[in-house]
Amino acid sequence: MRLGVLDIGSNTGHLLVVDAHRGAAPTPAFKHKRPLRLAEHLDAAGAVTQQGIDALSDFVSRSLEVAEDKGCEEILGFATSAVRDASNSDDVLAHVLERTGVDIDVLPGEDEARLTFLAVRRWFGWSSGRLAVFDIGGGSLEIAGGGDEGPDVAWSLPLGAARLTRDHLREGRTPESVRELRKAVRAQIAHDAGKLLRGGAPDHAVATSKTFRSLARICGAAPSSDGIYVSRTLTSQALAEWLPKLADMDDAEIRELPGVSADRAHQMVAGALVAEAVLDIFDVPELEICPWALREGVILERLDQISQRDG
């Protein structure tokens, strides 16, 4: 069947059209995306602004047209932390529903981590043993770990690259602001790190998301043009060498680095601080980049539900 997966993230809205069949990997057929930057379209009360709501509604409306043009039989729509944490979340979703007829589900942070873990497990398989999975989004950091298809532990922290940039680096990246952000990030990650660490060192530590992919590319990983089956890693050593350089660059200079998109350049330092903390606090020398993440997890779970229904 052909599915449309509508992912309302904190940075970007994505429509992924896939051909999905039981027993086979979902095959991407078409992609449509638009920068939304919802994590930055918040007022002082933490509500999504009217500008952000209108941008979201326009994107969903256009995505519907694209999904129909591409022959999608079903659309799965979900939103993550930017909408989840907004003080006017219900109003935002009601506005989108009224404008477009699309009922967007809001994923709890734990479900976001769980579904990302599912995608990573299916990608790497059982030979990976006990997995530790990390995903830096625009609004949150998801962490999950375990030896089965579902994680033993899964949680979400408000440590997304866009959120941290908005809350801590809005006035610029001074040495003091970067140091204070580094301290705050590490304290939040370390607070619950024992959930994962009590199970012992993972057999395979994995990262997903655009932020981790960009950091890996900056640190020397293969470009996306080499294909999804090329192994890519982000090492703690390479990131430690690059982070001071990133902190000293302005946004225009970061934008010129390989793998960095123009609309995310201003977030790369915050994202790098989170990635550095993950590598250090969980004592993993490197993270392998997985091309599958939350959207694929949503698709795989839906296929499992169809399989169970049809027996």
Side-chain angles (χ1 to χ4, degrees), residues 274-289:
V274 176
E276 179 198 41
V278 163
L279 285 157
D280 189 12
I281 290 170
F282 292 100
D283 194 25
V284 291
E286 67 177 28
L287 294 163
E288 184 165 6
I289 308 301

Side-chain angles (χ1 to χ4, degrees), residues 23-171:
T27 304
F30 189 80
K31 295 180 182 180
H32 169 65
K33 66 179 181 178
R34 183 181 299 174
L36 297 176
R37 296 174 72 161
L38 293 178
E40 298 173 36
H41 283 299
L42 298 175
D43 63 20
V48 179
T49 64
Q50 190 60 49
Q51 181 183 0
I53 294 172
D54 289 340
L56 172 56
S57 298
D58 289 345
F59 170 73
V60 173
S61 180
R62 175 56 186 152
S63 295
L64 271 181
E65 296 174 3
V66 172
E68 291 175 5
D69 289 345
K70 299 302 178 183
C72 291
E73 303 171 46
E74 183 179 345
I75 295 179
L76 306 174
F78 65 89
T80 53
S81 62
V83 175
R84 179 173 68 231
D85 298 337
S87 60
N88 62 338
S89 177
D90 290 342
D91 293 337
V92 172
L93 297 172
H95 187 277
V96 172
L97 178 60
E98 182 180 357
R99 278 274 307 274
T100 69
V102 177
D103 194 1
I104 301 293
D105 289 330
V106 176
L107 285 180
E110 183 176 333
D111 282 355
E112 196 174 339
R114 176 182 61 81
L115 289 166
T116 301
F117 184 93
L118 171 64
V120 172
R121 171 61 76 193
R122 294 277 179 92
W123 180 266
F124 287 114
W126 295 112
S127 63
S128 289
R130 185 170 182 271
L131 285 170
V133 177
F134 306 93
D135 186 321
I136 303 172
S140 59
L141 165 69
E142 275 66 52
I143 302 172
D148 297 325
E149 188 157 83
D152 299 328
V153 294
W155 73 101
S156 178
L157 295 170
L159 297 177
R163 183 196 297 265
L164 295 177
T165 301
R166 180 196 71 214
D167 293 346
H168 296 271
L169 303 177
R170 185 187 295 272
E171 304 303 321

Side-chain angles (χ1 to χ4, degrees), residues 247-295:
D248 286 340
M249 292 179 176
D250 59 31
D251 291 347
E253 291 172 318
I254 294 175
R255 201 174 294 127
E256 296 301 315
L257 294 174
V260 178
S261 56
D263 60 309
R264 293 175 186 255
H266 66 298
Q267 304 174 14
M268 291 310 301
V269 171
L273 289 170
V274 176
E276 179 198 41
V278 163
L279 285 157
D280 189 12
I281 290 170
F282 292 100
D283 194 25
V284 291
E286 67 177 28
L287 294 163
E288 184 165 6
I289 308 301
C290 180
W292 279 7
L294 177 59
R295 284 189 291 278

